[in-house]
Amino acid sequence: MANRETQENLCRSEVTQIYMTEQRRTERTVPLGSPKSKRSSEFDASKNQPNLPDFDIFPSEIKEKKWGNISYQSLSNDINNIYDEIVHFRKNIFNILSGRAGKMFIDELTFWLKQLNYILELNSIALKAFMVLPSLILQKPSSTSKSKEHSAAIERRLALWKQGDLNLLMKEVRFTQEKFVSSRKAKSVEDISRIFARLVMQGKITAAIKLLDRPIGC
């Protein structure tokens, strides 16, 4: 009996403590609508602006440095524009050669990887430069071009790249792409029908269906 009374007293004491604690917390809380509450609820935009440092791709002491005949800033702009364009190019790249020209191309790729990995002056555009180089330098001159022509193309294009003459380099690449596209013979409806029938007869149903998915003339 005594144990039961002791437990009840402990429970009452615990409940009383919880109640008193909650009461004190409520008394410290400022009622809604009071001046203090109103001020604290207002949003001060000036104190909540992000405090981030200004970001400049090239600091002022770097952007005017020269890459061939152009500034680093101009090089950055050109590479960004080239990247946005070449992502739509058709694949027309020859394999890297094993001779001097091939080594020159690998050396150029290595230079840009170092710019990226070691956070050097051209770090901010290094990755894009690395990505555009194959499409700019290894563009196949024609469908029948040989290794000797490829070697000469690499050396000529790398010279333009290092001089900063990216506009002239892009003119050559665009011309090659246009020639590559126009050289494809457009297929008529009759051509597609004949090819489709042949594929079906050969049991190549998937290839036949893919043929129908292409726009007429492609």
Side-chain angles (χ1 to χ4, degrees):
M1 188 69 176
N3 290 337
R4 184 176 179 181
E5 290 179 355
T6 302
Q7 290 177 355
E8 289 178 353
N9 290 334
L10 288 173
C11 288
R12 291 192 190 96
S13 176
E14 186 175 352
V15 170
T16 301
Q17 288 179 0
I18 294 173
Y19 174 80
M20 294 300 294
T21 302
E22 182 65 20
Q23 191 71 12
R24 286 194 294 269
R25 188 187 67 80
T26 303
E27 290 173 355
R28 288 197 300 268
T29 303
V30 179
L32 291 175
S34 66
K36 185 176 180 181
S37 175
K38 185 176 181 180
R39 286 196 301 272
S40 62
S41 63
E42 290 177 350
F43 178 76
D44 191 347
S46 63
K47 294 181 180 180
N48 288 274
Q49 294 296 325
N51 185 21
L52 300 175
D54 294 332
F55 176 74
D56 192 359
I57 293 179
F58 290 117
S60 56
E61 67 273 13
I62 293 178
K63 66 173 61 176
E64 295 305 323
K65 285 189 174 183
K66 292 292 186 180
W67 175 269
N69 300 323
I70 62 176
S71 66
Y72 279 9
Q73 185 66 59
S74 297
L75 176 67
S76 174
N77 295 337
D78 288 344
I79 288 177
N80 284 325
N81 292 333
I82 290 171
Y83 180 85
D84 291 340
E85 183 175 350
I86 68 166
V87 293
H88 303 290
F89 282 178
R90 291 181 180 272
K91 186 177 180 180
N92 181 43
I93 296 176
F94 56 78
N95 294 329
I96 300 175
L97 306 176
S98 57
R100 184 185 68 174
K103 185 178 183 302
M104 290 170 61
F105 178 70
I106 295 298
D107 288 344
E108 189 64 22
L109 289 179
T110 303
F111 168 82
W112 287 102
L113 279 181
K114 287 181 178 179
Q115 292 290 318
L116 177 67
N117 292 336
Y118 298 118
I119 316 180
L120 301 177
E121 291 180 341
L122 294 168
N123 170 269
S124 60
I125 58 168
L127 186 57
K128 278 190 175 180
F130 184 87
M131 296 293 289
V132 304
L133 273 168
S135 293
L136 290 179
I137 308 301
L138 304 182
Q139 196 75 208
K140 197 172 184 180
S142 69
S143 58
T144 59
S145 56
K146 305 299 181 183
S147 295
K148 186 176 181 180
E149 296 174 75
H150 297 168
S151 179
I154 289 177
E155 294 188 20
R156 183 182 68 257
R157 292 167 182 170
L158 278 177
L160 292 174
W161 170 265
K162 292 182 178 181
Q163 290 168 12
D165 202 345
L166 274 61
N167 289 329
L168 184 57
L169 181 56
M170 276 301 293
K171 285 182 180 179
E172 179 183 348
V173 174
R174 289 190 193 104
F175 176 77
T176 302
Q177 280 286 314
E178 290 169 2
K179 183 172 62 175
F180 174 70
V181 173
S182 62
S183 65
R184 299 182 62 193
K185 181 182 177 181
K187 293 183 177 65
S188 64
V189 176
E190 291 76 14
D191 292 332
I192 294 174
S193 299
R194 186 170 57 255
I195 296 171
F196 177 81
R198 186 178 72 246
L199 291 173
V200 171
M201 292 296 292
Q202 293 173 350
K204 300 178 180 178
I205 305 301
T206 302
I209 294 174
K210 287 182 178 179
L211 179 67
L212 295 179
D213 289 336
R214 297 178 186 174
I216 294 176
C218 295

